[in-house]
Amino acid sequence: MSNSKFARKGCRECYACVRVCPADAIVIKGGQADILADRCIFCGRCSKACPQHYRVEKMSISAVKEFIKSGENVIASVAPSFASAFGNQSLKIPAVLRTLGFTHVEDSGITTKPIFDIYNTYADKDDNKNYITSMCPTIDHLIQKHYPELTESIIPVVPPFISHGRFLKHKYGADSKVVFIGPCVAKKTDATKEICVDEVLTFYELQKWIKSENLNLDDFPIEPFDYVCNDKILFPIPGETADFLEKKNPKKTVFCVDGIEDCKSVLNSIRNGKFENTFFEMNACSHGCLYGSDLDKDDRCFFEVKRDLINNKQKYIDLFQANAVDNPYQDIALDVLLYKEYPPKPFHLEQPTEYEIREILKTMGKTVRSDELNCGSCGYHTCREKAVAVFNGLAEPSMCLPYMRNRAESLSNLICESSPNLIGLVDKDLMILELNPAAESFFKIQKDEANGMPLGMYLDDEEFERVRTFRKNVRNEKITFKEYDDSTLLQTIYWLEQNQMFLWLAVDITKDEKAAKKLQTLKIETVEMAQQVIAKQMTVAQEIASLLGETTAETKVTLTKLKNFILDEEGDE
């Protein structure tokens, strides 16, 4: 299994690429998207759908500039659908390309006649088999990888851009550099396997290159390609090939099919034996190459683009009729090999058992058939198809958006329901949307009783108005409710601009406040008691000191008397 990295940094788990991929070639691992190259048909839908604008294929502008810078012989092979990208300015493109440095500029459509001759041979076969054109690389990959049993129906001839590349290499030499410029990314992949096309630019890349060089198409003259061909077949328009073949009165029924969905539907019918002796012109893009996979769509509808292509083609021939030739490569056509094989390249998914499917479905919260919504939000048509992808490592259970949403809602509800904090949602008109059980218990109301009621019945709504007006959220604001047993809350108010509602969070700190007040009272009482004790101690000390003073004086008098008495007696003796 070969994965081609598509998106890592910035991938948002939106699964847009999975939903649009017609080949189930997107792998989701760790929430990130990769491309399974073994299943990819290079239709470019994932790049267009990606909101981060990731591209599957690399840009080739730098490589082509290096060719030109090196002084090599660089030839531009331009797809005839270029009018779909450049509109009324299309006839300026040859001059622009020469200014950019290309030594030769040719319309790749001038080599389609040999291919159409081969198609006509197969359309005229009376062998009861079905045949499919090989002009569209995406269709070739689709059949090879997803309908491998039908590869024998692909006509074994190269697409026009490869045939033109081979003619150019034959004419200008193998060392010359051939750059194909066209509308789709699939040709980039096919060109890497061919030695006749060195690089592929899409019209989108050419437009970016022209813009980066500050070139204005209005400043350029109308110039012809190196060859002006009388061939008026406009094969980029779906149905043109079929019309050409029908004019030859072939033995097979000829149908034109465009758009991957219709092509897959027809291929399924061919697989089931619903067609025989039929020739199919198939184009992966709706409206064919005029709406190629890497075209930057403007405001023109398909019929405007078709008109511009027809008008430009006719105007081009009218302007340069004197230089026109029927087939510029007629002399070397027989020397160029146009044969190409399209071998089957199947990639089979492992099929889980019914038990394994049920076990995978359980991981997505689907325990009974009614849980299988088949909503397609994950990119798979059914939940069981998604389970098969999970079994093969292509998808993850978390891609089920309804399941993840329900799970997230359940977790959110569980948190809100069990939280001891007060939580509420209030709309922009200051009407209560919802209160959690803790809030309902605080306001002494029944379940859902407050829903739809004015906020002012329970809280000061002026504070909410200020939050919305000044876009300044309130955090940890202390409020007291006399009517609710002198309760105190610490409230936070958020204005949710995207949702146009308020989120109200509050913590009941009544017990803490009462405990704090009680502690403060106790502190004051303790201080007062200490003061009283100190006062009493001072009084006692003073009384003791007074008593000690009196007794000391009396003692002194008594001892003095005793001393004098003794001295008097000794004197007498």
Side-chain angles (χ1 to χ4, degrees), residues 315-363:
K315 183 178 180 180
Y316 181 76
I317 293 176
D318 292 343
L319 283 172
F320 305 107
Q321 182 63 48
N323 301 323
V325 295
D326 290 332
N327 186 354
Y329 288 103
Q330 185 173 0
D331 295 338
I332 61 174
L334 295 178
D335 297 326
V336 176
L337 181 65
L338 298 180
Y339 178 80
K340 181 180 180 180
E341 290 185 345
Y342 297 91
K345 300 177 181 179
F347 179 85
H348 298 295
L349 295 177
E350 296 293 330
Q351 291 300 315
T353 63
E354 179 62 25
Y355 171 78
E356 289 170 326
I357 289 177
R358 287 200 302 268
E359 289 301 304
I360 293 172
L361 289 173
K362 285 180 182 178
T363 65

Side-chain angles (χ1 to χ4, degrees), residues 469-482:
T469 301
F470 298 106
R471 297 295 193 273
K472 188 174 181 179
N473 297 325
V474 168
R475 292 181 175 85
N476 299 325
E477 178 188 45
K478 188 183 293 186
I479 54 175
T480 303
F481 296 87
K482 296 292 184 181

Side-chain angles (χ1 to χ4, degrees), residues 12 87 132 183 187 216 258 269 300 324-325 330 372 401 431 479 510 526 538:
R12 305 297 185 188
I132 302 169
K187 293 181 175 67
N216 188 344
D258 62 300
S269 295
R300 292 178 299 160
V325 295
Q330 185 173 0
E372 299 175 27
L401 299 186
M431 304 297 285
I479 54 175
T510 304
T526 302
M538 290 297 295

Side-chain angles (χ1 to χ4, degrees), residues 146-167:
H146 298 273
Y147 299 88
E149 68 275 25
L150 301 181
T151 50
E152 292 184 357
S153 296
I154 304 176
I155 299 172
V157 62
V158 295
F161 88 102
I162 296 297
S163 70
H164 192 221
R166 290 183 180 181
F167 282 125

Side-chain angles (χ1 to χ4, degrees), residues 56-250:
V56 177
E57 297 296 331
K58 68 179 181 68
M59 301 280 275
S60 302
I61 299 174
S62 297
V64 176
K65 284 183 176 180
E66 285 299 316
F67 291 161
I68 295 172
K69 185 179 179 181
S70 66
E72 298 180 83
N73 198 25
V74 186
I75 309 148
S77 170
V78 185
S81 56
F82 62 94
S84 60
F86 297 97
N88 293 328
Q89 300 278 34
S90 299
L91 299 182
K92 310 284 188 71
I93 294 304
V96 172
L97 292 173
R98 291 185 181 106
T99 299
L100 290 174
F102 289 93
T103 52
H104 299 281
V105 182
E106 293 195 12
D107 182 341
S108 66
I110 63 178
T111 63
T112 57
K113 190 177 185 304
I115 295 176
F116 275 56
D117 289 341
I118 296 173
Y119 283 170
N120 186 55
T121 300
Y122 278 85
D124 202 40
K125 285 187 176 185
D126 191 12
D127 57 4
N128 214 38
K129 293 182 179 180
N130 301 306
Y131 292 107
I132 302 169
T133 58
S134 56
M135 287 191 297
C136 178
T138 294
I139 293 298
D140 297 337
H141 287 293
L142 176 65
I143 296 173
Q144 288 178 279
K145 296 177 180 180
H146 298 273
Y147 299 88
E149 68 275 25
L150 301 181
T151 50
E152 292 184 357
S153 296
I154 304 176
I155 299 172
V157 62
V158 295
F161 88 102
I162 296 297
S163 70
H164 192 221
R166 290 183 180 181
F167 282 125
L168 292 173
K169 288 285 188 178
H170 189 280
K171 180 178 180 179
Y172 294 103
D175 293 335
S176 60
K177 299 297 183 183
V178 175
V179 178
F180 176 74
I181 306 174
C184 75
V185 297
K187 293 181 175 67
K188 283 179 173 283
T189 303
D190 277 31
T192 60
K193 303 171 185 176
E194 302 283 345
I195 60 173
C196 59
V197 177
D198 298 282
E199 274 295 347
V200 172
L201 289 175
T202 64
F203 291 142
Y204 172 75
E205 289 175 271
L206 180 57
Q207 289 169 329
K208 287 183 69 68
W209 188 2
I210 292 171
K211 185 176 181 179
S212 69
E213 298 288 343
N214 295 317
L215 300 180
N216 188 344
L217 296 184
D218 292 332
D219 299 333
F220 287 86
I222 295 176
E223 291 182 0
F225 289 101
D226 288 7
Y227 289 107
V228 179
C229 187
N230 279 323
D231 189 358
K232 294 185 178 181
I233 296 176
L234 301 172
F235 73 86
I237 300 175
E240 284 288 305
T241 303
D243 290 344
F244 171 81
L245 296 176
E246 286 180 335
K247 290 175 183 177
K248 302 286 186 179
N249 296 315

